[in-house]
Amino acid sequence: MGGATHQSVSAVWIKANLAANKYGANMATNNLKAPAVALGTWAWGDSGETGNGYFGSSLNQAELKNVADNAHAAGFGLWDTAMVYGMGRSETVLGQVLKRFARSDYQLSTKFTPQAAGTGDDPVADMLEQSLSRLGTDYIDLYWIHNPADVARWTPHLIPLLKSGKVKHVGVSNHNLSEIEFANQILGEAGYRVEAIQNHYSLLYRASEHAGILDYCRKAGIPFFAYMVLEQGALSGKYNAENPLPRGSNRAETYNGMLPQLKTLTDKLASIGQQQGAAAPDVATAWAIAKGTTPIIGATRPNHVDGLVRACSITLSSDDIAELEGLADATGVNTRGWWEREMLV
Ligand SMILES: NC(=O)c1ccc[n+]([C@@H]2O[C@H](COP(=O)([O-])OP(=O)(O)OC[C@H]3O[C@@H](n4cnc5c(N)ncnc54)[C@H](OP(=O)(O)O)[C@@H]3O)[C@@H](O)[C@H]2O)c1
């Protein structure tokens, strides 16, 4: 992937942003520029000696290095991770594969997870220090409160991190609308604000849209990062009743039982893709872009990056979107993660 790819990615960026605007979105703020697509590394926590627990993907560092190379060459540079992804393993392997690139060429997004807080005076600062060390850097571009365990307790801890420059931007994840507003108020009193939202958002799980969070983000100019757009591979079209998700993994437990209900939807994703030289997961990703979000896609193979390049150039009509959403609703499945609470309150 050389200069031609760079050129075409610039073009797809513009196209993706125009597509987003067509659906009423303006996802860039003065403070934080959200890319068309971000890369997720939860599955990377399965790599190495911690084994293949959650995803069962058998990842190794050499192949993940190729994923990073492809992403870098294609111009994708925002990497999302968290300490709890493989309890440090995702951050460690990400730091290792990115270290040959200039720090200014990529952005790091990682999280404070209240459920894993230590017992020191400032568990947020402590968890950040450990993340910085594993990632081999002295700042994080985008730091999140991972879950809204206690908004009043944890949000204020972000303020000294912003003041010190160790954290450039902050966001909240898995927060409902009133929790987002409360976090924004706390940060606002110190002259800062919630600069990004990160929630589960896919064709199968649109709770943030139904709860008005997407609208809120659009009106406030806050980028919305959509995670699990591919429902951990269940919407990729690669898995079905005959070829299920890796047995014994947590994602298999969640999704294998629902794969037969998803077939009509994944077939439709594939057929829309076929008309544009793309595949089912590319269309699922393009749908999230068309809805004005920045999808965070868990790329585990080098060729997944090619899919992201294609996704950025797919045009979906409003009829395509309505049909996909209708088929998704008709599946009747509920893919809310075990760590997520209801968004509608
Ligand atoms: N804030 C939160 O609470 C939270 C929660 C969940 C996720 N996240 C973030 O969001 C990211 C994305 O979520 P996720 O990784 O759980 O799930 P995902 O992006 O919905 O799906 C990732 C899986 O889809 C498959 N895949 C990816 N790209 C593909 C492509 N182009 N073609 C075919 N298959 C493809 C891979 O499975 P195979 O390896 O089997 O091919 C991969 O493991 C995470 O990595 C993480 O950074 C955040």
Side-chain angles (χ1 to χ4, degrees):
M1 296 186 141
T5 309
H6 278 288
Q7 259 185 2
S8 62
V9 167
S10 307
V12 296
W13 254 72
I14 293 162
K15 197 167 172 191
N17 286 325
L18 286 176
N21 284 338
K22 198 168 116 195
Y23 292 93
N26 171 16
M27 285 301 174
T29 67
N30 287 337
N31 298 322
L32 175 72
K33 297 261 182 287
V37 178
L39 295 129
T41 62
W42 184 4
W44 294 30
D46 277 8
S47 56
E49 62 204 20
T50 53
N52 296 322
Y54 206 92
F55 287 78
S57 306
S58 301
L59 304 178
N60 65 62
Q61 192 168 322
E63 193 163 49
L64 294 176
K65 184 174 164 287
N66 293 335
V67 175
D69 283 342
N70 277 12
H72 181 74
F76 298 121
L78 197 159
W79 297 89
D80 184 71
T81 183
M83 179 279 264
V84 292
Y85 299 164
M87 297 315 276
R89 182 68 202 171
S90 168
E91 289 183 331
T92 300
V93 75
L94 181 61
Q96 280 166 3
V97 303
L98 291 180
K99 70 180 174 202
R100 64 205 183 284
F101 304 127
R103 181 64 182 85
S104 53
D105 278 358
Y106 61 88
Q107 293 178 294
L108 291 170
S109 155
T110 191
K111 312 179 185 87
F112 167 73
T113 306
Q115 291 76 6
T119 52
D121 289 343
D122 188 344
V124 185
D126 291 346
M127 201 177 289
L128 172 69
E129 284 306 324
Q130 291 157 19
S131 292
L132 289 171
S133 156
R134 280 187 292 266
L135 287 160
T137 184
D138 54 6
Y139 70 93
I140 298 299
D141 299 273
L142 183 48
Y143 200 58
W144 307 84
I145 302 287
H146 202 164
N147 295 296
D150 183 340
V151 178
R153 178 177 177 194
W154 297 117
T155 314
H157 286 265
L158 295 173
I159 296 163
L161 306 182
L162 283 159
K163 284 187 176 152
S164 72
K166 288 185 179 180
V167 162
K168 303 295 178 197
H169 305 284
V170 293
V172 295
S173 180
N174 299 310
H175 286 49
N176 67 30
L177 193 47
S178 55
E179 290 162 338
I180 293 167
E181 287 171 332
F182 186 26
N184 212 14
Q185 183 194 326
I186 293 167
L187 291 170
E189 283 161 11
Y192 296 100
R193 66 178 194 135
V194 170
E195 292 182 78
I197 303 297
Q198 178 177 159
N199 283 354
H200 186 179
Y201 182 63
S202 76
L203 274 160
L204 295 177
Y205 194 75
R206 291 189 283 136
S208 287
E209 185 177 351
H210 299 142
I213 296 173
L214 258 63
D215 264 353
Y216 171 86
C217 286
R218 189 176 63 238
K219 286 179 190 143
I222 302 175
F224 180 99
F225 287 78
Y227 73 69
M228 282 171 39
V229 168
L230 303 181
E231 293 291 349
Q232 303 204 320
L235 282 186
S236 69
K238 168 174 154 188
Y239 297 109
N240 51 46
E242 291 72 44
N243 177 38
L245 288 147
R247 287 188 207 285
S249 65
N250 296 60
R251 64 177 173 149
E253 234 171 84
T254 305
Y255 293 103
N256 276 351
M258 58 177 86
L259 290 172
Q261 286 107 290
L262 304 187
K263 188 169 182 327
T264 316
L265 174 61
T266 51
D267 284 353
K268 186 69 198 171
L269 288 166
S271 80
I272 292 176
Q274 223 167 21
Q275 292 156 25
Q276 304 199 38
D282 314 340
V283 178
T285 304
W287 167 85
I289 296 171
K291 299 287 284 195
T293 76
T294 291
I296 307 174
I297 304 297
T300 54
R301 316 278 167 201
N303 67 0
H304 291 167
V305 175
D306 306 333
L308 299 183
V309 173
R310 288 192 298 270
C312 290
S313 63
I314 289 174
T315 307
L316 294 177
S317 68
S318 42
D319 284 351
D320 289 332
I321 290 173
E323 190 175 2
L324 288 170
E325 291 179 358
L327 289 174
D329 292 346
T331 63
V333 300
N334 181 358
T335 58
R336 180 160 65 95
W338 52 263
W339 61 92
E340 298 174 52
R341 292 184 302 175
E342 293 286 356
M343 282 295 141
L344 278 170
V345 283

